[in-house]
Amino acid sequence: MHALFSKKMAYQKVNADQRAPGHSQYLDNDDLQATALDLEWDMEKELEEPGFDQFQLDSAENQNLENPETADLNLDSIQPATSPKGRFQRLQEESDYVTRYTRSAPKSNPCNFCRLLKILCTATVLFILGILIGYYAHKNCPSNATTSGTLDLHLYQEILKTIQAEDIKKSFRNLVQLYKSEDDTEISKKIKSHWTSLGLEDVQFVNYSVLLNLPGPSASSVSLSSSGQCFHPNGQPCSEEARKHSGQDLLYSYAAYSAKGTLEAELIDVSYGNADDLKRIQKMKNTTNKIALLKLGKLPLLYKLSLLEKAGFGGVLLYIDPCDLPKTANLSYDTFMVSLNPGGDPSTPGYPSVDGSFRQNRSNLTSLLVQPISASLVAKLISSPNSRTKNSICSPLELPNNDQRIVSMQIQTVTKFKTVTNVVGYLKGLTSPDRYIIVGSRHHTAYSYYGQEWASSTAIITAFIRALMLRVKRGWRPDRTIVFCSWGGTAFGNIGSYEWGEDFRKVLQRNVVAYISLHSPIRGNSSLYSVASPSLQQLVVEKNNFNCSRRAKCQETNVSSVQIEGDADYFINHLGIPTVQFAYEDITALEGPSFLSEALFLKRATKIEEMDPFFHLHETITKLSGEVILQIANEPVLPFNALDIAIEVQNSLKGDQPYTHQLLALASRLRESAELFQSDEMRPANDPKERIPIRVRMLNDILQDMEKSFLVEQVPPGFYRNILYHLDGKTSQFSILLEAWEHCKLLSSNETIQEALSEVLNSINSAQVYFKAGLDVFDSVLVGKN
């Protein structure tokens, strides 16, 4: 399908500063003009931007292209987080434009007055007749005769203005009434029925039989051997009355896919469980078959469990320190669930769970017994009365090094094959139906936690479908296909989206342009936080600023490429698809440790409404996401930025890490190629004379696959395979390099760091080759024609 690789194209690169007459004659060829796209581009806005000229390559930069080894590698000069505003190089006027297109002056021939008067009268009559014909022709023309740019802007606003907070609120309340069903069939049927009634085409169920790890018949327990006291995970004593009072909460305080059994051993406080913590502890104590007291946050849970497993631990009591939460959040007695599944059906790793697939026996995904517990139970285990002192300064929970606690933990879960349902609906594109924008939300899956974020997610995607289909019913369609997905099995490790992705992998690799995530849109109410792939960050900033200008109070745009929870995982890490997610967060939560969202709390249904009582935040998320979806689905040239990827790579190599000189040199060459590609090859898309269909198609094929070069095969557990994403917003270096340095603290060998450096080097080199191939394709086009 990719025009870039399907056959040898013939279209010669025409530099902005080297538009020779011979080249322009080709561009004026009648055959080409006949096949040109009937599209117009609003050039004035692009050309007015102040940073637009920064793409120009002067003679010194051209010399650096010839001698990349001598390029300046001083990264202090890398100031912008994104490339200069505007995706295209400013067009330079052709020197011979006037002479070629201006009519030559007529010769001076004598003529009499009557003849001139007749000609004047005839011209006047024809002029008036032309005006009348033009007026009535224009009056009878359909609305799509207006310019593309003006129509698109007006149309987007017309679609989005029909999105109302009150409608989202009603949809949310209807959904939360359904989650008490024994399975997710009722919710899936409700979503499918609703989407179909709105007019969405070809809405279907996609079911997979998968292995789920479910709570056992009774709650897990933790006991203090010294006193014989037994506690439930929420800190309540092990009594029949407490178990009945807590109900389902106790059963759903568990780690899905943990090992099962009983373990009695010494409790060792490992704090956050990073390399420094383990190195310090292993110097003091033997950790073999001990129980680790582990705080959630700062690093992916799967990574920390892998370190504890290598250190010989036998069990883990997992909790969230109250000091890591906002002061207004009182979760001391709340229980939570975590999943130890990296993604997909554990019984079919790497391939879809379709009929006839071989099923592996994987009831547990770790040798560790893992049990989430509340902060109040931790305080009882370490004999600490309270984590907060009288002067409101928070004191973290910790077990003194000289104190010894022997505890016993008992875990019982069951594994069963259950059906997970995805709801998938399509809105076929008009001009490029084989290019997809996937919009993903999630719905409640039975046997999992009862949080309400899924209802916000589903209500938002439904609100956008409603607004979109109102316009579709009036005859409009997007250029590219929009695929709406409501995923099942998210809480167990994004099972529904993984299985669907594995099932349709070949099609998705070729056709998907972008993924818009609506996983957990309302987590707080103080700050709009956006996550976007490097190639889409500039688009997200533009949408944030545009919406901010329409509000009285505007906040600083917060956009980054960090690891996120949810169903975007498969599309980012296995397909290399550019992704966007908008969400509201609490500022204090953003300032605290990352990866706390791995804990799935059993929140009450009113919690979302407490954070957004009038659903104005829901409306903002819907409109922001909708604008991005519409622009990606309709722009002739995809709104992706090649140069921003190169800048992200250079920024990820900043710091005092050794062994990176070769990487810096390669990153410099990548940036030069990206600048040349963005300014020289994307530029013709601005010029109607050069915007021929095959060229636009070739260009879009290159743009949609830019991030695939940064998928690596081997990463630590819990880390993204797409190395353009960082662990959190506080660190800008490549995550696998940071982890490799941490790993060296535990082992004397530097083999891990050499492997990580090789992964990064190969990724940068692959991207450099990719851009170079793109340049070569466009450069060779005119050779065959001439």
Side-chain angles (χ1 to χ4, degrees):
M1 298 296 297
H2 290 267
L4 175 60
F5 301 108
S6 61
K7 60 181 180 178
K8 187 76 172 179
M9 298 301 172
Y11 197 100
Q12 181 169 335
K13 175 179 64 180
V14 182
N15 294 330
D17 53 349
Q18 294 177 347
R19 299 285 299 274
H23 294 130
S24 59
Q25 288 173 8
Y26 174 80
L27 296 175
D28 296 332
N29 184 282
D30 292 336
D31 295 336
L32 276 185
Q33 291 181 356
T35 60
L37 282 176
D38 186 19
L39 298 170
E40 297 184 47
W41 199 276
D42 186 2
M43 286 292 297
E44 292 181 1
K45 183 177 179 182
E46 291 282 354
L47 299 183
E48 287 172 359
E49 302 298 342
F52 216 86
D53 291 329
Q54 297 181 38
F55 283 123
Q56 297 285 357
L57 296 178
D58 57 19
S59 59
E61 291 171 327
N62 290 331
Q63 290 175 5
N64 283 340
L65 288 178
E66 298 173 3
N67 272 314
E69 291 80 2
T70 63
D72 185 9
L73 301 180
N74 182 12
L75 294 185
D76 292 336
S77 62
I78 305 173
Q79 296 296 333
T82 57
S83 61
K85 178 71 172 66
R87 291 179 292 123
F88 306 104
Q89 179 77 326
R90 181 195 296 271
L91 288 174
Q92 295 186 2
E93 289 189 7
E94 298 177 69
S95 59
D96 60 340
Y97 180 86
V98 176
T99 59
R100 287 190 296 112
Y101 289 95
T102 303
R103 187 187 300 271
S104 58
K107 296 181 180 180
S108 177
N109 293 323
C111 60
N112 57 48
F113 177 78
C114 293
R115 185 176 180 184
L116 287 175
L117 184 61
K118 288 180 181 180
I119 294 175
L120 181 61
C121 291
T122 304
T124 303
V125 172
L126 292 175
F127 177 73
I128 295 174
L129 183 62
I131 291 177
L132 292 174
I133 294 174
Y135 171 77
Y136 285 105
H138 177 75
K139 185 175 181 180
N140 294 328
C141 281
S143 59
N144 60 6
T146 57
T147 61
S148 176
T150 305
L151 173 63
D152 287 347
L153 181 61
H154 175 73
L155 185 141
Y156 298 165
Q157 297 309 312
E158 182 180 318
I159 292 173
L160 298 172
K161 73 180 181 181
T162 62
I163 297 171
Q164 301 295 326
E166 190 61 33
D167 293 333
I168 302 175
K169 185 176 183 178
K170 290 178 182 177
S171 179
F172 173 87
R173 287 183 170 178
N174 289 334
L175 288 165
V176 296
Q177 300 301 319
L178 300 174
Y179 80 88
K180 296 179 182 178
S181 173
E182 286 300 318
D183 56 44
D184 63 348
T185 304
E186 185 176 352
I187 293 178
S188 300
K189 287 182 178 178
K190 177 74 172 179
I191 294 171
K192 181 177 184 293
S193 175
H194 197 176
W195 289 6
T196 302
S197 68
L198 295 174
L200 193 61
E201 306 160 351
D202 193 20
V203 185
Q204 55 188 252
F205 290 139
V206 186
N207 299 324
Y208 299 98
S209 178
V210 300
L211 187 67
L212 300 184
N213 188 234
L214 308 174
S218 59
S220 301
S221 63
V222 179
S223 302
L224 268 172
S225 300
S226 58
S227 61
Q229 291 177 288
C230 175
F231 302 97
H232 288 305
N234 63 356
Q236 298 297 316
C238 296
S239 64
E240 188 69 21
E241 181 181 353
R243 185 161 62 92
K244 289 181 179 180
H245 179 72
S246 299
Q248 294 278 355
D249 288 8
L250 291 180
L251 292 179
Y252 286 93
S253 176
Y254 79 111
Y257 305 103
S258 163
K260 301 184 289 288
T262 302
L263 175 64
E264 183 176 7
E266 180 184 356
L267 184 67
I268 299 178
D269 190 347
V270 298
S271 188
Y272 292 100
N274 57 32
D276 287 333
D277 293 329
L278 293 181
K279 186 176 181 180
R280 169 179 52 83
I281 290 166
Q282 287 182 305
K283 287 182 178 179
M284 298 185 296
K285 296 184 177 181
N286 178 16
T287 58
T288 303
N289 214 33
K290 298 299 192 298
I291 297 176
L293 184 62
L294 175 66
K295 293 181 184 181
L296 192 68
K298 290 194 174 181
L299 288 169
L301 175 60
L302 294 184
Y303 173 65
K304 297 195 289 188
L305 293 181
S306 70
L307 296 182
L308 294 174
E309 202 168 11
K310 290 177 182 178
F313 281 91
V316 177
L317 295 179
L318 181 67
Y319 73 102
I320 295 180
D321 196 309
C323 295
D324 292 335
L325 295 170
K327 292 183 179 180
T328 55
N330 184 11
L331 302 176
S332 296
Y333 294 92
D334 288 20
T335 55
F336 59 93
M337 168 195 174
V338 294
S339 175
L340 309 185
N341 180 13
D345 177 14
S347 70
T348 58
Y351 54 95
S353 299
V354 296
D355 292 342
S357 295
F358 172 71
R359 304 283 180 163
Q360 300 184 22
N361 183 15
R362 304 180 76 196
S363 59
N364 59 280
L365 300 178
T366 177
S367 62
L368 297 169
L369 277 73
V370 183
Q371 176 60 53
I373 61 176
S374 67
S376 61
L377 177 53
V378 176
K380 292 177 181 180
L381 294 178
I382 65 176
S383 302
S384 173
N386 202 321
S387 63
R388 297 187 186 274
T389 60
K390 293 181 181 180
N391 57 2
S392 297
I393 298 177
C394 191
S395 299
L397 293 170
E398 60 181 9
L399 178 65
N401 291 331
N402 55 352
D403 286 5
Q404 187 178 57
R405 300 285 191 277
I406 305 297
V407 300
S408 175
M409 58 187 299
Q410 181 184 29
I411 295 177
Q412 50 180 335
T413 57
V414 295
T415 52
K416 295 180 180 179
F417 281 97
K418 297 289 183 179
T419 298
V420 164
T421 302
N422 299 324
V423 184
V424 182
Y426 298 85
L427 175 58
K428 294 294 179 62
L430 184 63
T431 60
S432 299
D434 61 335
R435 290 296 180 260
Y436 308 150
I437 294 89
I438 298 181
V439 186
S441 66
R442 57 175 171 142
H443 58 260
H444 170 70
T445 301
Y447 317 107
S448 68
Y449 79 112
Y450 288 165
Q452 298 304 312
E453 294 94 334
W454 69 268
S456 288
S457 177
T458 305
I460 284 176
I461 194 173
T462 302
F464 179 67
I465 293 173
R466 181 189 297 110
L468 194 64
M469 297 312 296
L470 287 175
R471 181 66 192 189
V472 171
K473 291 175 182 177
R474 294 165 54 189
W476 172 85
R477 276 186 177 275
D479 289 340
R480 301 178 181 93
T481 296
I482 305 177
V483 184
F484 296 95
C485 304
S486 182
W487 308 115
T490 299
F492 292 97
N494 308 316
I495 290 181
S497 56
Y498 256 78
E499 295 309 304
W500 189 78
E502 291 171 347
D503 200 0
F504 296 93
R505 180 184 180 96
K506 295 297 183 183
V507 176
L508 299 177
Q509 277 182 326
R510 182 183 65 225
N511 293 347
V512 177
V513 169
Y515 184 92
I516 312 301
S517 173
L518 299 171
H519 171 71
S520 185
I522 308 297
R523 307 166 198 162
N525 55 13
S526 60
S527 178
L528 179 63
Y529 184 66
S530 308
V531 174
S533 300
S535 60
L536 279 171
Q537 284 188 15
Q538 190 174 119
L539 176 63
V540 170
V541 170
E542 289 172 1
K543 295 308 169 190
N544 278 346
N545 292 341
F546 177 71
N547 281 273
C548 176
S549 64
R550 295 184 294 185
R551 299 192 299 266
K553 184 179 180 181
C554 297
Q555 298 174 340
E556 182 181 354
T557 301
N558 191 352
V559 184
S560 59
S561 298
V562 298
Q563 294 192 194
I564 54 177
E565 292 295 307
D567 295 288
D569 184 280
Y570 183 83
F571 302 93
I572 293 172
N573 289 303
H574 295 270
L575 302 178
I577 294 171
T579 301
V580 172
Q581 175 180 276
F582 295 98
Y584 271 95
E585 288 267 19
D586 287 320
I587 294 178
T588 50
L590 292 173
E591 294 172 349
S594 53
F595 296 100
L596 294 180
S597 60
E598 291 182 312
L600 307 178
F601 283 94
L602 312 180
K603 292 182 179 179
R604 294 175 288 117
T606 57
K607 184 66 175 178
I608 294 293
E609 294 199 51
E610 289 174 3
M611 290 189 292
D612 188 18
F614 302 106
F615 279 69
H616 291 155
L617 304 183
H618 285 75
E619 180 182 322
T620 300
I621 295 293
T622 310
K623 290 183 175 181
L624 276 173
S625 302
E627 285 188 82
V628 170
I629 295 166
L630 289 170
Q631 190 160 345
I632 297 175
N634 286 283
E635 279 207 5
V637 176
L638 291 170
F640 299 164
N641 288 277
L643 183 55
D644 287 347
I645 294 178
I647 292 175
E648 184 73 21
V649 170
Q650 286 188 316
N651 288 335
S652 298
L653 293 172
K654 286 183 177 180
D656 55 356
Q657 300 174 0
Y659 308 115
T660 57
H661 181 75
Q662 187 177 6
L663 297 180
L664 289 173
L666 192 57
S668 179
R669 292 197 291 273
L670 173 64
R671 178 165 179 166
E672 290 172 349
S673 295
E675 286 177 339
L676 184 60
F677 174 82
Q678 184 157 307
S679 63
D680 200 53
E681 304 307 343
M682 293 180 69
R683 175 192 54 75
N686 267 333
D687 190 348
K689 298 194 308 295
E690 298 182 58
R691 200 191 301 133
I692 60 173
I694 190 61
R695 185 183 182 93
V696 172
R697 183 67 173 206
M698 289 163 57
L699 181 59
N700 284 334
D701 285 346
I702 295 173
L703 291 173
Q704 78 176 52
D705 289 339
M706 290 187 299
E707 295 190 15
K708 290 180 172 60
S709 296
F710 296 93
L711 297 181
V712 300
E713 290 298 325
Q714 298 296 328
V715 292
F719 281 58
Y720 269 13
R721 288 183 57 215
N722 188 330
I723 63 173
L724 291 175
Y725 288 76
H726 307 293
L727 286 178
D728 54 51
K730 304 178 184 68
T731 56
S732 61
Q733 287 83 11
F734 283 114
S735 298
I736 59 173
L737 293 182
L738 291 177
E739 188 278 333
W741 285 114
E742 290 293 311
H743 198 78
C744 288
K745 297 177 182 178
L746 296 175
L747 303 174
S748 58
S749 172
N750 66 347
E751 182 177 348
T752 303
I753 189 64
Q754 294 298 333
E755 291 176 354
L757 287 168
S758 179
E759 292 275 22
V760 174
L761 185 144
N762 289 333
S763 294
I764 300 174
N765 182 67
S766 176
Q768 162 70 10
V769 170
Y770 183 77
F771 282 125
K772 183 64 168 59
L775 290 167
D776 290 343
V777 166
F778 285 101
D779 195 31
S780 64
V781 179
L782 278 184
V783 175
K785 289 284 184 178
N786 292 338

